Amino acid sequence: MTGPDQQADLSPASIDAIVAGALAAFADAASLADLKVARLAHAGDRSPVALANRAIGAIPGPERRDAGQRIGAARAAIAAALAEREAEIGSAELEARLVAERVDVTLPVALGPAGAPHPITALMDLMGDVFTAMGWEIAEGPEAEGEWLNFDALNFTPDHPARFTSDTLFVEPLDSHVVMRTHTSPVQIRSMLDRPLPIYVVCPGKTYRADEFDATHVPVFHQIEGLVVDEGISLAHLKGTLDHLARSMFGDDIETRMRPHYFPFTEPSAEVDLKCFVCHGASVGNPDAPCRTCKSQGWIEWGGCGVVNPRVLAACGIDTDRYSGFAFGMGIERTLMFRNNAADMRDMVEGDVRFSRSLKGMAR
Ligand code: DAH
């Protein structure tokens, strides 16, 4: 090392040794951090080459130029070696990082859980398909419905209890006479007013009633309505149609029965029951083997039906001498309960995808 007051050794051998020392140190550096240490030692302000550079001024005349050139060349060589090593280590470190942090984009990734069609939607489609396969059409109507279409045109008297606010959700203001439809039957009226005869339609959709929300009631539910108006239509056509629907939904073994009932818009009217698929009637009169599903009745109620009341046909301007019809309507939720053993209606509205997925195999 050369102090400021000493005669510096700027001989070619000494300068070469300085350069060789620097190059060896750079080559030894294995990381950018090592190289930083080597740079300070061999190219920094207090490095041998910097000190040699500073000593040039003290050299007498003729030798000064040679020494200046040598040291200039040495500084350039050191700077070039440093830059080269820096690039080398930099790209090696980058390479190592790329390998270490490599992501295999072809690996399967955990996606969010897949959804499934809601069982109510799927079942409504499935029931609709039974009819479109026979050439019937799907008809739809609004959920907020005119009171006249929901009740009056269907032959409900003005004081019929179904109109009470305890059963029906009225849309404010009350004198708008708009209700949330309590059944899909108003779509019958819309179909008769809008469509040319003969009519073969099913009307699936949402319906509303002022009901509590519990295991067997939901205030917003779904029905599917059927309506046929043609020449020579009788109760026998209705029975055959319902049996076909029941077999399509529950299998060929299902038994149905029609039990006399009253609906304002059909005459005669009936409720359609399914043979209890749990006890198959064995619980009837047998207190030792009661059945919870049918309450030991042997049958469970599925929906309502009947021959279209001529007053309803007449309200829609249909010639009752020439045309007659039948109609039916049943709950989709009820059908799902029976068909897929879905005991609690709350599962149908809570939107847990596991419920939907558990019934995924249902449709088609
Ligand atoms: N609309 C009735 C209800 O919601 C069901 C019904 C009964 C529909 C008889 C019909 C029918 O088409 O003919 O309870």
Side-chain angles (χ1 to χ4, degrees):
M1 235 351 110
T2 314
D5 47 348
Q6 285 173 291
Q7 176 76 39
D9 178 2
L10 300 182
S11 66
S14 167
I15 298 300
D16 286 351
I18 289 176
V19 172
L23 265 51
F26 297 159
D28 276 355
S31 65
L32 289 177
D34 286 355
L35 193 61
K36 187 175 174 189
V37 175
R39 175 167 57 78
L40 286 174
H42 296 276
D45 285 351
R46 308 182 61 76
S47 62
V49 78
L51 296 178
N53 193 45
R54 258 176 259 152
I56 295 171
I59 296 179
E63 286 165 34
R64 191 191 298 167
R65 210 191 63 189
D66 286 353
Q69 278 178 358
R70 266 199 307 281
I71 291 171
R75 291 175 69 200
I78 290 173
L82 180 64
E84 191 184 327
R85 187 66 186 139
E86 202 165 41
E88 239 171 57
I89 296 177
S91 66
E93 285 192 356
L94 180 64
E95 190 68 22
R97 246 180 72 194
L98 288 178
V99 170
E101 297 174 7
R102 189 168 121 183
V103 173
D104 184 349
V105 294
T106 66
L107 283 178
V109 285
L111 296 172
H118 195 277
I120 293 292
T121 312
L123 186 54
M124 229 161 24
D125 287 351
L126 198 63
M127 293 175 90
D129 287 350
V130 172
F131 293 94
T132 51
M134 300 191 294
W136 297 35
E137 291 177 296
I138 306 281
E140 286 178 315
E143 291 166 24
E145 183 59 288
E147 191 180 354
W148 185 83
L149 289 153
N150 194 83
F151 292 124
D152 300 80
L154 288 161
N155 198 36
F156 283 80
T157 52
D159 56 354
H160 192 283
R163 297 195 194 225
F164 294 169
T165 47
S166 54
D167 289 317
T168 301
L169 296 165
F170 285 80
V171 176
E172 290 191 321
L174 284 186
D175 60 11
S176 68
H177 296 286
V178 173
V179 299
M180 296 312 290
R181 68 179 178 194
T182 58
H183 48 182
T184 42
S185 302
V187 190
Q188 286 189 29
I189 304 298
R190 290 180 171 274
S191 300
M192 288 188 273
L193 293 174
D194 291 350
R195 288 168 188 260
L197 295 164
I199 294 169
Y200 289 81
V201 291
V202 276
C203 329
K206 261 195 180 63
T207 46
Y208 300 79
R209 281 183 206 172
D211 269 335
E212 292 298 325
F213 176 43
D214 61 31
T216 53
H217 296 91
V218 280
V220 181
F221 56 106
H222 300 77
Q223 290 187 336
I224 188 165
E225 189 86 13
L227 171 71
V228 166
V229 182
D230 202 347
E231 293 179 47
I233 293 298
S234 76
L235 206 63
H237 297 114
L238 170 60
K239 170 83 172 134
T241 304
L242 289 172
D243 282 349
H244 177 61
L245 178 61
R247 280 194 296 269
S248 306
M249 286 302 112
F250 305 104
D252 286 344
D253 302 340
I254 194 73
E255 271 181 65
T256 65
R257 77 171 182 190
M258 278 157 70
R259 177 169 41 80
H261 198 74
Y262 172 77
F263 294 103
F265 40 97
T266 40
E267 184 58 39
S269 302
E271 280 195 324
V272 54
D273 293 344
L274 302 168
K275 186 66 158 282
C276 178
F277 39 79
V278 175
C279 73
H280 300 282
S283 67
V284 181
N286 184 358
D288 296 336
C291 179
R292 273 174 46 203
T293 303
C294 66
K295 301 199 178 73
S296 301
Q297 299 295 300
W299 297 89
I300 44 185
E301 180 199 325
W302 189 24
C305 62
V307 171
V308 181
N309 192 322
R311 297 176 68 138
V312 173
L313 296 177
C316 297
I318 291 172
D319 177 355
T320 55
D321 289 335
R322 191 166 159 203
Y323 289 98
S324 56
F326 69 75
F328 59 87
M330 62 267 302
I332 309 286
E333 279 79 358
R334 260 185 109 66
T335 308
L336 188 67
M337 286 174 114
F338 302 152
R339 186 175 185 273
N340 297 79
N341 230 340
D344 193 330
M345 284 177 104
R346 285 171 292 200
D347 290 335
M348 302 180 197
V349 292
E350 274 166 1
D352 187 329
V353 75
R354 287 171 299 184
F355 175 72
S356 297
R357 268 197 254 124
S358 72
L359 301 181
K360 203 173 172 183
M362 174 179 74
R364 276 160 267 266

